[in-house]
Amino acid sequence: EVVYSVIPRPANLGAVTSSIIGIHPNFENYQLEALQKLGVKWSRVMSPSAFFRWSRVEPTQGNFIWYDQEVQRASVYGMTILGTLGTNNYWPTWADNNGLPNLDYWESFVENMVNHYKPYVKYWEIWNEPIYNFTSQFYASMSIRAANAIHRADPEAKIVGFGGVYDYNWILSSIGYMGTNWKNYLDYISTHLYPGGEGNALAFKTNIIDQYNIEVWNTETGMWDTGFYKGSNSNFITVGEAIW
């Protein structure tokens, strides 16, 4: 069995930052070539390409591993990078401070990353899904420190705050800790909405987009694949929900 599609040629094979279509690629040439032909214009660099993951790129303090060749490859194929700085509890052991990342070390890490990659990366997302590891108050401090570092290293850079938090109340709490000038520390807010999260999408529109006139980006999503043998053609009863 072969499944295929015929896709219209994109009107523009170069970068188009107004596009809403992105992916998490591996940064292999063959894959990027196919994605360019599909019209995919954004690459969120978090996973599987962990080029900006703190514990991976600064395994010992002050010693960085750079992925210049891979990062530069994105522009060749007309893709704009959204660089996600940090995820889960993957900060290096030398930067740990009683179970939390040391914010002095964090700020230095962010400034070094942005300064190095500023010719190629202009959009930075502050931590992936911080709601699972930090309080809203700690994340507010983390965001302020990161924003200050980014602005010093590259005043042209744009900041995507909250790294995919699904709970708008958590976001509003963190905004409160940032203070009245919170928009100085971010340009966009990101969330992660998967199928079944339509109510969350409406809540974000009502409580954040409409209230604060700020864009909310969905930087991670997907569709659960139940497969042929649990689908409508199955010869046995489907039990439970899709994969997850």
Side-chain angles (χ1 to χ4, degrees):
E1 180 179 350
V2 177
V3 179
Y4 70 94
S5 296
V6 177
I7 306 296
R9 183 182 298 275
N12 189 335
L13 291 176
V16 181
T17 56
S18 61
S19 172
I20 64 168
I21 304 301
I23 200 168
H24 294 66
N26 288 292
F27 278 79
E28 298 291 345
N29 280 303
Y30 75 91
Q31 184 194 45
L32 294 177
E33 182 179 1
L35 292 171
Q36 184 181 39
K37 292 177 180 178
L38 289 168
V40 177
K41 298 300 184 183
W42 282 91
S43 164
R44 182 174 184 246
V45 179
M46 198 282 291
S47 178
S49 300
F51 307 148
F52 308 138
R53 190 172 295 179
W54 192 1
S55 58
R56 176 167 172 173
V57 302
E58 194 183 9
T60 58
Q61 189 172 9
N63 296 308
F64 286 83
I65 299 171
W66 305 115
Y67 293 87
D68 294 353
Q69 184 176 3
E70 291 84 354
V71 168
Q72 293 173 36
R73 195 176 290 159
S75 61
V76 174
Y77 293 96
M79 299 184 76
T80 300
I81 285 179
L82 170 61
T84 303
L85 295 165
T87 183
N88 300 332
N89 60 349
Y90 302 159
W91 54 86
T93 54
W94 58 263
D96 187 80
N97 181 22
N98 296 319
L100 291 171
N102 181 299
L103 291 183
D104 290 334
Y105 295 155
W106 159 251
E107 185 171 348
S108 175
F109 162 72
V110 172
E111 187 166 1
N112 276 287
M113 293 293 288
V114 175
N115 188 60
H116 182 84
Y117 286 115
K118 63 185 176 184
Y120 320 109
V121 183
K122 295 295 182 182
Y123 296 84
W124 295 98
E125 186 177 39
I126 309 305
W127 212 270
N128 175 65
E129 299 181 349
I131 190 173
Y132 294 119
N133 292 99
F134 311 127
T135 65
S136 59
Q137 183 175 13
F138 183 85
Y139 182 76
S141 299
M142 169 180 271
S143 294
I144 291 171
R145 299 289 287 269
N148 290 337
I150 292 169
H151 290 148
R152 285 195 302 269
D154 184 8
E156 298 178 355
K158 300 296 184 183
I159 300 172
V160 182
F162 298 102
V165 171
Y166 62 88
D167 183 349
Y168 77 89
N169 285 304
W170 194 93
I171 291 176
L172 295 178
S173 174
S174 190
I175 285 174
Y177 287 116
M178 289 183 189
T180 56
N181 295 323
W182 63 273
K183 282 192 176 182
N184 292 341
Y185 308 118
L186 55 91
D187 299 284
Y188 312 101
I189 288 173
S190 65
T191 186
H192 290 166
L193 296 179
Y194 280 79
E198 293 80 4
N200 286 338
L202 179 59
F204 267 86
K205 181 183 185 305
T206 303
N207 295 284
I208 293 182
I209 297 175
D210 294 345
Q211 290 293 322
Y212 296 102
N213 190 32
I214 188 168
E215 288 185 21
V216 174
W217 296 7
N218 190 17
T219 60
E220 186 180 308
T221 188
M223 182 64 72
W224 310 129
D225 182 2
T226 58
F228 177 85
Y229 293 104
K230 283 191 69 176
S232 59
N233 295 315
S234 173
N235 60 358
F236 61 88
I237 298 174
T238 299
V239 178
E241 298 180 358
I243 297 289
W244 201 342

